[in-house]
């Protein structure tokens, strides 16, 4: 039987350089056969949910509705894109996953036990390894604003982004074997080298 692929997730706040890192991994020899995907999204149905999720006013959805939308998208994504690739022996690299829900919807007030229970019962799949890109919120938001118009979450106030950083770091501290924290204030080339070292 074929060896199952590794499921690697990339996490971090707004503008911490996730897309740049993912591009670097895509062009590396180590991950030339990997499947690259993202959340919310990553399957046709989940991309439709993403469009609802990220656009509109900051208060378009309350936090619990966000959890329900994210879980619906994640279940579809895992069933249709991630699981088939892992079963075929391909590594999967996913830009955001469950830790983003724990951080974003957690900071927005959703109970952590509900997030974890819903994940266990409706999705189930846990990452093999996670890279957390960590940078002060000022650095990230300045980078994010350089890109095309800010999305619903980028427009949330500064305190939200500081709390997000703390939430991500708390997850990393609780699960040091799974989560490697990368200093995202370094150059993209250095961050990529750190990431490849962590994923050997
Ligand atoms: P992106 O900008 O990294 O593509 O992510 C889209 C937005 O969705 C981002 O602001 C974070 C947010 N998000 C959540 O709030 N909860 C989640 O579970 C995920 C995956 C993303």
């Amino acid at each position: 039987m074929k060896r199952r692929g590794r499921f690697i997730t990339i996490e971090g706040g707004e503008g911490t350089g996730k897309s740049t890192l993912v591009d670097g991994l895509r062009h590396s020899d180590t991950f030339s056969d990997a499947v690259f995907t993202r959340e919310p999204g990553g399957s046709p149905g989940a991309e439709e949910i993403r469009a609802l999720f990220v656009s509109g006013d900051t208060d378009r959805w309350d936090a619990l509705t966000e959890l329900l939308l994210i879980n619906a998208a994640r279940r579809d994504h895992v069933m249709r894109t991630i699981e088939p690739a892992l079963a075929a022996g391909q590594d999967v690299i996913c830009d955001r996953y469950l830790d983003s829900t724990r951080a974003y919807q957690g900071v927005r007030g959703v109970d952590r036990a509900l997030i974890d229970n819903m994940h266990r019962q409706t999705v189930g799949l846990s990452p093999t390894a996670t890279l957390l890109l960590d940078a002060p919120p000022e650095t990230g938001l300045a980078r994010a604003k350089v890109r095309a118009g800010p999305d619903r979450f980028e427009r949330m106030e500064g305190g939200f982004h500081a709390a997000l950083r703390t939430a991500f770091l708390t997850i990393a501290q609780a699960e040091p074997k799974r989560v490697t924290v990368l200093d995202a204030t370094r150059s993209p080339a250095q961050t990529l080298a750190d990431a490849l070292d962590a994923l050997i």
Side-chain angles (χ1 to χ4, degrees):
M1 209 177 88
K2 217 167 186 181
R3 180 192 69 91
R4 196 174 150 81
R6 286 192 292 169
F7 179 40
I8 297 161
T9 59
I10 316 286
E11 297 279 6
E14 309 295 331
T16 47
K18 283 184 295 91
S19 311
T20 307
L21 175 60
V22 167
D23 264 357
L25 293 172
R26 198 194 307 270
H27 292 106
S28 72
D29 292 341
T30 319
F31 294 109
S32 55
D33 290 332
V35 169
F36 286 81
T37 187
R38 68 163 181 187
E39 288 210 343
S43 63
E47 288 290 336
E48 289 191 38
I49 296 173
R50 178 191 175 91
L52 295 172
F53 188 82
V54 300
S55 62
D57 292 340
T58 51
D59 63 354
R60 180 180 190 183
W61 309 109
D62 88 316
L64 212 45
T65 311
E66 287 176 3
L67 177 69
L68 297 168
L69 287 168
I70 278 287
N71 258 88
R74 184 163 297 141
R75 180 174 165 81
D76 192 69
H77 183 207
V78 168
M79 283 174 65
R80 293 176 199 268
T81 304
I82 300 177
E83 265 301 344
L86 296 175
Q90 284 179 289
D91 288 337
V92 174
I93 298 197
C94 188
D95 181 343
R96 295 198 185 282
Y97 191 66
L98 175 62
D99 296 321
S100 280
T101 314
R102 289 166 163 175
Y104 280 77
Q105 279 62 54
V107 167
R108 284 172 51 65
V110 180
D111 178 45
R112 168 65 183 266
L114 176 61
I115 295 172
D116 286 351
N117 284 336
M118 191 177 289
H119 180 76
R120 228 185 341 268
Q121 293 185 30
T122 64
V123 179
L125 178 69
S126 300
T128 320
T130 297
L131 302 178
L132 170 60
L133 287 170
D134 177 59
E138 310 81 71
T139 317
L141 284 173
R143 281 188 198 156
K145 280 194 185 112
V146 173
R147 300 193 312 249
D151 72 18
R152 204 162 67 84
F153 288 90
E154 285 161 1
R155 279 185 264 111
M156 288 183 186
E157 41 86 37
F160 174 73
H161 297 281
L164 263 187
R165 184 187 191 193
T166 306
F168 275 123
L169 288 173
T170 305
I171 294 169
Q173 269 166 9
E175 296 181 69
K177 280 211 175 105
R178 174 175 67 86
V179 185
T180 303
V181 182
L182 302 179
D183 177 354
T185 62
R186 290 155 58 105
S187 73
Q190 280 170 327
T191 307
L192 176 61
D194 291 348
L196 288 168
D197 274 355
L199 296 175
I200 281 173

